[in-house]
Amino acid sequence: MASSRVRMILAIALTSLLVLGCDDNPAAPRLGSITIDPEPNSINAPWQVTGPDGYARSGTGDLVLANMTPGSYAVTWGAVAGWRTPDPATVSQTLAANGAVTFVGAYVAQTGSITVDVLPDSISASWQLEGPDGYLETGSGDATLPDVRVGAYTITWGAEAGYELPAPETLTLVDNGTLVFEAVYVAIYTGLPFPDTADKLMANFQDLYEQMDVDEIRKLLHPDHLTLLQPSTTNWFPELGETLDIDEELRIHERMFSGQNVTDPLGSLVPAIQSIHFQTFARQGIWSTSPPNDRIPNAQVALYDVVFLFDRGGLYSTMKTQGTIKFYVTHRDSLVGDVIKPYFQMLGQMDLTMDTYALGAAGKSVELTTWGMAKAIFR
């Protein structure tokens, strides 16, 4: 009997221990977990957590703290360059026994705005803006760029014919700030008068041809320049189409003014031009405005009587172009010193010269050719 009673007492005691071990023991620890989650993850933001009994820990980025004593905890978010610290910077939560809390810190990128200002306003110069984290923006003319990240930005300006190229500039954008990149394009002219009238532009046209100055032709021709060719020219060289654009014009003039023999698109020899003389270059009537249905509408336009002589040396004939050319011009405002002046450029040409052409031959004194053909053989 005594042994049975002992066994019963031991069983009861063991059961009691097992029950107490199942969290009924007030002295048993009741631990929880704390999740620290700064956003976005890419910035790996720093933080510091404090809690009961002098608990303190620092870290960066996401972390789960396990086996934490219940009680009040505070997280303080640290500063990250280029980002706004969560507001409030310190937050508190209470961790319950066997519970879990999460501290989320939402960082917001610091931003500002950038203004691009090109002067004079009539110029729509191109530009490229580079900034933090591979930022790249391109544009032309004036622009406002909102909500861009803080940091250092560098702008590079595009070239404009007839103007000095402004130097690149680097500025630093601060939080909620505004940067202004301003480019002042200053007109430059070497050798030829500033073309602030249509007639001055045409006088420059004559001078640069007689000087065979390819650099000046680049300034004189508008980027949208077109030469309208006669059917006879395109019959000889059908790959030209009906017009010559700015790129074709520049290639032609580089070859025409080079003083070197070239070959035309058919593979025939084109003897070098030694000199160019404008025997006649006279405007008929006044400048007027081309109508909306013109091939080049809404430009200033005038007809010129012309006789051009292209001397190719004693062994070859002199090319002669005579008749009429219709010239189209346009202008924009330009800053010259401290004064705004109109800056004229040639927008187009229509070839109306005498529609005659014969292939050149050694010993022939004069060879008649249209204005478009004289260009086409140097293409």
Side-chain angles (χ1 to χ4, degrees):
M1 290 291 291
S3 61
S4 296
R5 180 176 295 179
V6 171
R7 285 196 296 271
M8 181 178 295
I9 291 171
L10 290 173
I12 292 171
L14 180 60
T15 301
S16 298
L17 287 172
L18 291 171
V19 171
L20 288 173
C22 295
D23 287 345
D24 283 342
N25 181 359
R30 299 184 179 187
L31 306 179
S33 65
I34 297 175
T35 299
I36 301 177
D37 182 20
E39 295 289 345
N41 292 332
S42 60
I43 65 175
N44 203 34
W47 47 263
Q48 183 180 51
V49 59
T50 58
D53 304 322
Y55 177 87
R57 180 168 178 174
S58 298
T60 58
D62 295 351
L63 186 66
V64 176
L65 302 173
N67 301 318
M68 300 298 291
T69 301
S72 178
Y73 287 84
V75 169
T76 300
W77 304 107
V80 177
W83 294 81
R84 296 170 190 156
T85 304
D87 186 15
T90 299
V91 290
S92 298
Q93 294 191 66
T94 299
L95 177 65
N98 298 316
V101 294
T102 298
F103 290 89
V104 177
Y107 285 75
V108 177
Q110 295 177 347
T111 61
S113 65
I114 295 177
T115 296
V116 179
D117 186 16
V118 178
L119 294 174
D121 291 334
S122 58
I123 296 177
S124 187
S126 62
W127 45 264
Q128 178 175 287
L129 184 66
E130 299 176 81
D133 302 321
Y135 178 91
L136 179 64
E137 183 76 23
T138 59
S140 60
D142 296 348
T144 297
L145 308 173
D147 300 322
V148 291
R149 294 281 301 276
V150 298
Y153 288 82
T154 299
I155 197 164
T156 304
W157 305 100
E160 281 287 309
Y163 291 86
E164 294 180 3
L165 180 64
E169 185 178 11
T170 299
L171 298 173
T172 299
L173 178 66
V174 299
D175 192 22
N176 292 314
T178 298
L179 290 185
V180 177
F181 287 100
E182 183 180 85
V184 178
Y185 280 76
V186 178
I188 53 172
Y189 293 92
T190 56
L192 295 179
F194 185 88
D196 55 4
T197 68
D199 287 335
K200 286 183 181 178
L201 175 72
M202 300 309 294
N204 287 350
F205 176 78
Q206 177 175 350
D207 286 344
L208 70 87
Y209 260 84
E210 293 185 335
Q211 296 169 18
M212 297 174 62
D213 190 335
V214 71
D215 290 329
E216 289 294 338
I217 199 74
R218 291 190 181 96
K219 301 174 189 176
L220 183 137
L221 298 182
H222 189 278
D224 297 328
H225 183 277
L226 281 180
T227 294
L228 308 176
L229 300 172
Q230 295 193 49
S232 60
T233 303
T234 55
N235 287 341
W236 275 98
F237 302 111
E239 75 283 358
L240 288 176
E242 298 179 350
T243 63
L244 298 171
D245 63 19
I246 183 66
D247 292 331
E248 292 170 319
E249 284 281 5
L250 292 178
R251 170 178 163 79
I252 286 166
H253 285 87
E254 287 172 356
R255 289 158 61 87
M256 181 185 288
F257 293 169
S258 69
Q260 303 295 320
N261 295 341
V262 297
T263 55
D264 67 19
L266 300 179
S268 300
L269 174 68
V270 179
I273 292 177
Q274 305 299 318
S275 65
I276 301 173
H277 176 60
F278 280 29
Q279 195 174 64
T280 302
F281 192 58
R283 173 164 53 84
Q284 299 178 8
I286 64 172
W287 289 95
S288 60
T289 301
S290 57
N293 61 350
D294 197 295
R295 291 288 300 276
I296 304 176
N298 306 314
Q300 288 185 252
V301 61
L303 290 172
Y304 272 70
D305 289 328
V306 302
V307 177
F308 302 152
L309 299 176
F310 301 86
D311 184 1
R312 300 190 290 187
L315 294 178
Y316 298 96
S317 61
T318 295
M319 291 195 305
K320 180 179 181 180
T321 294
Q322 66 183 50
T324 303
I325 301 175
K326 187 176 183 181
F327 288 100
Y328 299 80
V329 303
T330 187
H331 72 274
R332 64 189 183 196
D333 288 339
S334 175
L335 188 65
V336 183
D338 296 326
V339 179
I340 299 293
K341 291 185 177 182
Y343 166 47
F344 279 80
Q345 285 183 297
M346 189 171 292
L347 188 57
Q349 305 167 41
M350 178 181 287
D351 180 18
L352 302 172
T353 55
M354 293 178 61
D355 192 3
T356 304
Y357 179 71
L359 289 176
K364 186 175 179 180
S365 59
V366 175
E367 172 188 325
L368 294 178
T369 180
T370 63
W371 178 230
M373 187 67 73
K375 291 183 176 185
I377 61 176
F378 282 91
R379 182 171 179 265

